[in-house]
Amino acid sequence: MIRQGRVYLRAFEEKDMKKIWEWKNNENLARYESSNPFITMSEKEIEKAYINSSGKNCYAICLKSNDELIGEVSFWYPNILNQSTVELGVSIEEEKCKYGYGIEATVALFKIIFNNILINRISFCIGSHNFYSKGPLEKLFNCDGIIKNDRLIDGKYYDTYIYGFLRKDYDRIIHDILKL
Amino acid sequence: MDDTRISLRAVKNEDISDIYELYRNKKIVYNNGIAFGLYSENFLKLALIDKNLLSKNVTLIAEDDGTMIGIIYYECSKPMMTGVAISIIINTINNYEKYYIQVLLSFMNYVFKQQNYYRITIYISELVIIRNKELITKMEENGFLKEGILKEERYINGKFYDTYIMGVTREDKVR
């Protein structure tokens, strides 16, 4: 269990499946998913992806105050031949996404990644429509690029913002980060 | 070398030994700005061919008059994404820039004329740009715009190098 601010990260359990099913079938949340938007998941698929998958770096985000499950955070290698960069993704349930829990979960994941895995860079991509994430992300990450008209959502084109965070920045500002 | 001699085709199991030789050649590997690794044929087959079915990553072979001159990897797995993200490896050191542009133009024709994609995003190592100073200019002449720089994204031969992001849309290409 990794604690940070008001949240902690833990492994997914079978009791979480009902809530994940609701998230994966929620139209509003799907708009902000960068990987599988508008793809619904059955209970069986969820169980396979979250419980029976041994190699997945995916964590449940829970509130310290009442142990409520509020989201998920995960990381992966976008390029199998380039092991110096990981990409991460954060998803917070609709009612809780305005309170900064996502950034606390991101910092918790930073601790896991930079203290245990020899990578140099963390990337994070969001759509320009994702105004909930943009402000908090820019407190931590540098914007490395904007890919124009990269996404088509509800009939409109949106840009993709690519953010980056380097190990040397983590080493330099670790104390400030952990105060977040 | 003219446009008509460059052709693209899907990767075959028989290509794995050529790809294996390419990845064993340090000069070629560094010239393409990728990290050198001792990959087995089985690993490459798994990473570049078998995995394609699951991840919807596609590997294409570029040929000049029947000889493999390069490989294109592209990803088109995300339903809401309007384009493909690609990287190109050229299997030669001589005429690198010329071949790179020729392969890219062939791919642009394929993606914009045969596939209904709106844009192409290409990731290029800083190492390629250092060694091929005209490449960015030539890409810009063909409608590409520089959209970002991923800082210290790749570790190559003991140093971290940036990765440049270049992008082109169907309209940019026409213009």
Side-chain angles (χ1 to χ4, degrees):
Chain A
M1 197 182 287
I2 305 289
R3 295 179 174 81
Q4 177 61 45
R6 296 162 294 169
V7 303
Y8 66 87
L9 306 186
R10 63 161 171 78
F12 278 102
E13 306 287 350
E14 274 193 49
K15 65 183 179 186
D16 303 325
M17 292 304 104
K18 191 170 172 288
K19 211 160 191 184
I20 297 171
W21 186 89
E22 283 167 16
W23 295 341
K24 293 296 170 192
N25 292 279
N26 180 317
E27 188 187 354
N28 289 333
L29 265 183
R31 283 190 178 82
Y32 301 105
E33 285 271 336
S34 62
S35 54
N36 292 309
F38 303 110
I39 289 181
T40 52
M41 280 178 93
S42 69
E43 282 185 8
K44 272 195 172 173
E45 286 170 317
I46 287 167
E47 205 175 300
K48 197 175 161 191
Y50 286 84
I51 301 292
N52 298 333
S53 168
S54 55
K56 199 165 182 214
N57 300 306
C58 189
Y59 304 87
I61 307 169
C62 298
L63 290 180
K64 274 183 190 172
S65 56
N66 58 5
D67 294 322
E68 184 189 354
L69 172 68
I70 60 161
E72 63 172 300
V73 63
S74 60
F75 70 92
W76 60 90
Y77 292 92
N79 180 349
I80 195 167
L81 304 181
N82 174 18
Q83 298 283 318
S84 62
T85 295
V86 293
E87 198 167 315
L88 64 85
V90 183
S91 182
I92 302 287
E93 71 178 1
E94 213 174 350
E95 298 78 30
K96 301 283 193 306
C97 64
K98 298 170 191 165
Y99 303 106
Y101 296 126
I103 208 77
E104 290 175 12
T106 303
V107 171
L109 197 60
F110 274 18
K111 288 197 279 189
I112 294 173
I113 293 171
F114 284 121
N115 293 335
N116 300 286
I117 304 169
L118 198 58
I119 58 106
N120 183 54
R121 175 191 161 86
I122 294 177
S123 285
F124 200 118
C125 300
I126 60 163
S128 54
H129 64 299
N130 190 346
F131 48 87
Y132 288 126
S133 302
K134 194 169 175 292
L137 270 177
E138 287 178 353
K139 285 182 190 168
L140 271 183
F141 290 82
N142 293 316
C143 185
D144 284 346
I146 301 171
I147 302 183
K148 298 285 179 200
N149 296 335
D150 189 40
R151 297 166 188 232
L152 180 65
I153 301 166
D154 294 337
K156 276 187 183 173
Y157 287 109
Y158 292 95
D159 301 340
T160 291
Y161 287 72
I162 303 183
Y163 294 94
F165 190 91
L166 301 176
R167 177 179 286 280
K168 65 186 176 195
D169 294 328
Y170 180 76
D171 295 338
R172 187 165 51 82
I173 58 173
I174 181 170
H175 299 295
D176 294 339
I177 288 175
L178 295 179
K179 277 181 208 160
L180 283 171
Chain B
M1 189 171 71
D2 55 43
D3 285 4
T4 54
R5 284 169 56 181
I6 303 290
S7 59
L8 302 181
R9 63 165 174 83
V11 68
K12 296 185 285 191
N13 277 335
E14 298 92 280
D15 295 320
I16 283 298
S17 56
D18 289 339
I19 295 172
Y20 174 77
E21 289 303 326
L22 185 156
Y23 275 96
R24 279 184 61 194
N25 186 325
K26 275 189 182 175
K27 276 188 183 170
I28 296 279
V29 165
Y30 291 145
N31 208 44
N32 282 286
I34 49 179
F36 180 73
L38 296 168
Y39 306 118
S40 70
E41 286 195 23
N42 267 348
F43 174 85
L44 291 171
K45 186 171 176 293
L46 193 69
L48 307 180
I49 296 187
D50 295 349
K51 191 173 172 280
N52 291 348
L53 287 174
L54 300 176
S55 65
K56 294 183 186 164
N57 292 343
V58 180
T59 305
L60 295 180
I61 300 292
E63 290 181 329
D64 179 12
D65 213 14
T67 304
M68 184 180 92
I69 54 150
I71 307 171
I72 303 173
Y73 302 118
Y74 76 95
E75 185 193 4
C76 53
S77 60
K78 299 171 182 173
M80 71 173 169
M81 296 303 186
T82 60
V84 291
I86 74 167
S87 54
I88 293 176
I89 295 173
I90 298 295
N91 188 23
T92 177
I93 291 169
N94 298 329
N95 288 324
Y96 185 92
E97 272 178 25
K98 267 188 181 175
Y99 271 128
Y100 197 102
I101 295 295
Q102 294 283 351
V103 170
L104 189 55
L105 290 177
S106 301
F107 184 73
M108 282 166 77
N109 277 332
Y110 170 65
V111 164
F112 290 137
K113 286 185 181 168
Q114 309 298 331
Q115 308 272 306
N116 187 25
Y117 288 112
Y118 176 69
R119 58 166 289 135
I120 298 171
T121 309
I122 183 162
Y123 293 86
I124 311 171
S125 167
E126 183 188 0
L127 208 53
V128 172
I129 289 161
I130 290 169
R131 292 175 180 191
N132 301 278
K133 298 197 187 306
E134 298 295 311
L135 191 59
I136 296 289
T137 313
K138 283 178 182 168
M139 288 178 73
E140 284 170 344
E141 284 167 5
N142 284 288
F144 277 84
L145 293 172
K146 197 200 287 179
E147 294 185 319
I149 299 174
L150 306 180
K151 295 284 175 201
E152 297 186 12
E153 202 241 356
R154 295 184 197 182
Y155 186 71
I156 301 159
N157 213 12
K159 279 185 187 171
F160 287 107
Y161 289 94
D162 299 343
T163 297
Y164 284 59
I165 308 171
M166 303 288 291
V168 64
T169 62
R170 208 182 290 147
E171 285 93 359
D172 293 334
K173 184 191 177 270
V174 171
R175 201 160 45 238

